[in-house]
Amino acid sequence: MTLRGERQADFAYQAVYRYMINLINEVSTDTRVKLPSLRQLAGRLNVSISTVQYAYSLLEKEGRVYSVAKSGYYAWPLSANPLAGTSGDPLDRLYAAARRPGMVVLSGDEPALLASLDGTLLRLERELVRQYPRYLQPWSQPCGVWELRAALAARYTSSPTRCWQADDVYIGPDLRGVLDILIEVLGLRGAPVIVESPCDWLVLRLLQDAGVRVIELPWTPDGRLDLVNLDHLLSAESVRLVLLSSRVSLPAGVSMPPQDRLALAQLLDQYGCWLLENDTFGELGFDEPQAALRELVNPERLMVFSSFEKVLGSEAPYGYLLSRRMNNELQRHFLLRSFRLSPIRQRAIARLYHSGRIDQHLRGLRLQLRLQADEMCERLDRDLSDQMTYRAPAAGAAFWLRSIRTVDMRQVFQRLLSQQVVIAPGELFSVNGLHQQHLRLSHTFQGQPDLNVVLAALSEALRQAQMG
């Protein structure tokens, strides 16, 4: 094919662009596909390299292709192109966008991005491999290795009446796997469950997919839970389970006042309701931690879940559950799932707890998180004070922002994606359409491009998305 002799009304790059669109459509699959180089296309189409370069730059701006240094251009997989339209599930599009190279991902809440123990874990594993030859390792420990279960039981024990044993601890491949089993064991399908709102989208999606009737209990702007409404719900509904954060509720970033915690524990005891405590961020508060809810409620109607990943990093994705009841059912379901978890890695994590390395790491991580949050406060006050309000977070790695004016937050999300910036719109944190004017914005921005540019893009997107 040659482009010489194309209609004179067309610039050469437009013809190259149309050719490339057809080529991308032909090769589009769910895996990435390398496209012809600049030199190859220039020779094939009989045009200059600069003409091909310009056509590729247009395609890159439109999100149809991406470049890899010293490798060339690639077509986006169909499933990973968040710019293919404005409809569809925002969470699916967020996940797809966050996986793309070159994106500024400010949608998550990943504290360990500032400091992980991945390298330490790998060094410990090498030491442990020499101490535990493969032939001495049991091939299956469906609930997790004893060393790690015992370490967690000791960490969560606070008194003779609020104590845990290794047999009360269950470890799964990730948080999703643990919560799937919990939903099954508790028989929550079709049952009403009260959940604080906003709530982590993973938890919400799992409950939704299981057919759980989610009743949202929103946090108020001044950082309180409406306990009068909770009392009404517990009396009017056959609620068996309430899901709340242990110390700090994220993404709202608020900590319940002590008097509210005590009143909440009394309400749960009055109605004989179980507490499922989310302790994912329980050790990541910036200030001296308040007593966790589990220290106030009836321990016989308590379950706690968490994950190592937020503290240790991506090399420790395991989720875990603590429960003093329903042991036989939990053990049976873990056995049926036949999770094959690395015993060496679990033992390495246990070593971190026994040696005190976890506590040392947490002290440094909390300090870094606080400093990053303070810096983000300054930037938000300077660049977005007339457009968004927020409460400074008490834990974690993200801010929960609310637009002062009514905006189409999906449009904001889409506009920023087109500029290679990923935020998390507030609707993801509700199943009933709450938080439409909110967004979550990470403050673990070390190593990111100029944050001033990102905040300017957010400001412009909010301005253009105003409604009414």
Side-chain angles (χ1 to χ4, degrees):
M1 173 182 177
T2 178
L3 295 184
R4 305 293 187 190
E6 286 280 344
R7 291 177 302 164
Q8 294 299 311
D10 277 348
F11 290 105
Y13 77 85
Q14 292 174 318
V16 176
Y17 172 89
R18 287 198 304 273
Y19 174 83
M20 289 305 302
I21 290 292
N22 291 331
L23 182 61
I24 291 169
N25 289 338
E26 289 173 1
V27 303
S28 288
T29 67
D30 281 333
T31 58
R32 76 173 193 169
V33 176
K34 187 172 183 180
L35 297 170
S37 69
L38 301 180
R39 189 173 301 278
Q40 287 171 332
L41 270 182
R44 181 186 305 178
L45 302 179
N46 195 20
V47 296
S48 68
I49 289 179
S50 61
T51 297
V52 177
Q53 176 70 72
Y54 189 62
Y56 262 134
S57 68
L58 290 177
L59 293 166
E60 192 168 14
K61 288 179 181 177
E62 293 174 359
R64 298 176 184 271
V65 305
Y66 65 97
S67 60
V68 176
K70 299 182 180 179
S71 179
Y73 285 90
Y74 293 82
W76 281 112
L78 288 175
S79 60
N81 187 354
L83 306 179
T86 57
S87 61
D89 188 334
L91 184 55
D92 290 341
R93 304 185 68 242
L94 184 149
Y95 274 137
R99 292 194 298 267
R100 294 176 57 184
M103 302 296 283
V104 180
V105 181
L106 295 176
S107 56
D109 196 343
E110 302 299 332
L113 287 177
L114 288 180
S116 77
L117 286 175
D118 289 346
T120 303
L121 272 179
L122 295 176
R123 286 194 296 273
L124 280 173
E125 281 187 333
R126 286 194 292 269
E127 295 175 13
L128 288 167
V129 165
R130 293 192 291 269
Q131 297 177 28
Y132 292 89
R134 188 171 297 278
Y135 64 87
L136 293 179
Q137 299 178 29
W139 71 270
S140 177
Q141 299 183 72
C143 299
V145 300
W146 183 87
E147 292 94 328
L148 183 53
R149 298 170 73 193
L152 288 171
R155 194 167 185 84
Y156 277 85
T157 292
S158 59
S159 74
T161 57
R162 298 186 181 276
C163 59
W164 303 89
Q165 305 298 326
D167 286 345
D168 301 327
V169 181
Y170 305 85
I171 299 170
D174 52 28
L175 207 52
R176 176 184 292 274
V178 170
L179 292 177
D180 274 338
I181 289 178
L182 186 59
I183 290 169
E184 190 68 32
V185 169
L186 292 176
L188 296 181
R189 299 182 188 280
V193 172
I194 294 177
V195 176
E196 64 183 339
S197 185
C199 179
D200 181 84
W201 62 52
L202 170 63
V203 175
L204 287 177
R205 290 301 175 97
L206 287 174
L207 293 174
Q208 270 191 308
D209 292 346
V212 175
R213 186 158 68 87
V214 176
I215 302 173
E216 295 188 74
L217 185 66
W219 284 88
T220 63
D222 61 345
R224 309 283 292 270
L225 279 179
D226 188 344
L227 297 183
V228 173
N229 185 31
L230 176 60
D231 190 358
H232 170 73
L233 290 171
L234 291 175
S235 63
E237 302 274 358
S238 57
V239 175
R240 297 177 52 201
L241 186 74
V242 175
L243 196 162
L244 296 168
S245 298
S246 59
R247 290 189 173 96
V248 178
S249 175
L250 295 176
V254 296
S255 180
M256 195 185 305
Q259 64 272 22
D260 286 8
R261 290 172 174 273
L262 186 57
L264 173 64
Q266 292 170 346
L267 269 179
L268 295 178
D269 192 48
Q270 175 186 338
Y271 287 98
C273 196
W274 281 72
L275 171 67
L276 177 58
E277 183 186 78
N278 180 353
D279 197 38
T280 310
F281 290 91
E283 295 193 292
L284 288 168
F286 303 156
D287 299 315
E288 191 67 27
Q290 298 183 19
L293 280 175
R294 62 179 175 269
E295 301 299 327
L296 303 173
V297 302
N298 184 344
E300 301 304 316
R301 290 194 291 271
L302 167 68
M303 289 183 167
V304 182
F305 72 87
S306 188
S307 167
F308 302 105
E309 189 170 10
K310 299 296 183 183
V311 171
L312 301 185
S314 59
E315 293 297 327
Y318 310 131
Y320 60 87
L321 169 73
L322 289 88
S323 175
R324 290 164 62 167
R325 290 292 176 264
M326 294 177 277
N327 297 71
N328 290 337
E329 276 296 291
L330 285 167
Q331 289 173 14
R332 185 173 71 85
H333 277 273
F334 272 83
L335 183 61
L336 288 173
R337 296 295 180 98
S338 299
F339 295 138
R340 302 297 296 270
L341 312 182
S342 166
I344 290 296
R345 181 148 303 182
Q346 291 180 73
R347 289 191 177 100
I349 296 173
R351 283 278 182 96
L352 293 175
Y353 281 100
H354 289 308
S355 67
R357 183 72 176 84
I358 287 280
D359 294 313
Q360 179 185 350
H361 170 70
L362 278 169
R363 287 191 291 271
L365 181 56
R366 290 190 197 107
L367 177 60
Q368 290 189 64
L369 288 170
R370 177 190 282 279
L371 293 174
Q372 290 285 103
D374 289 345
E375 183 176 345
M376 180 64 94
C377 282
E378 294 177 3
R379 291 169 180 256
L380 292 174
D381 291 342
R382 183 187 64 210
D383 298 333
L384 292 170
S385 60
D386 61 338
Q387 293 177 288
M388 307 213 77
T389 61
Y390 68 92
R391 291 171 58 91
F399 278 68
W400 184 241
L401 306 174
R402 186 183 189 281
S403 175
I404 295 173
R405 301 172 184 83
T406 303
V407 299
D408 182 343
M409 198 59 74
R410 279 204 184 191
Q411 187 182 129
V412 174
F413 173 62
Q414 176 65 24
R415 286 182 182 277
L416 290 173
L417 281 188
S418 68
Q419 299 175 65
Q420 297 186 297
V421 177
V422 188
I423 60 163
E427 67 177 287
L428 299 179
F429 303 88
S430 167
V431 296
N432 296 315
L434 305 179
H435 319 307
Q436 296 284 337
Q437 298 303 304
H438 289 79
L439 63 89
R440 184 174 74 180
L441 194 71
S442 170
H443 63 74
T444 52
F445 50 83
Q446 281 188 344
Q448 295 283 9
D450 189 348
L451 191 65
N452 294 330
V453 175
V454 173
L455 294 181
L458 174 56
S459 175
E460 179 62 17
L462 288 165
R463 186 186 65 78
Q464 295 188 21
Q466 288 183 29
M467 301 169 64

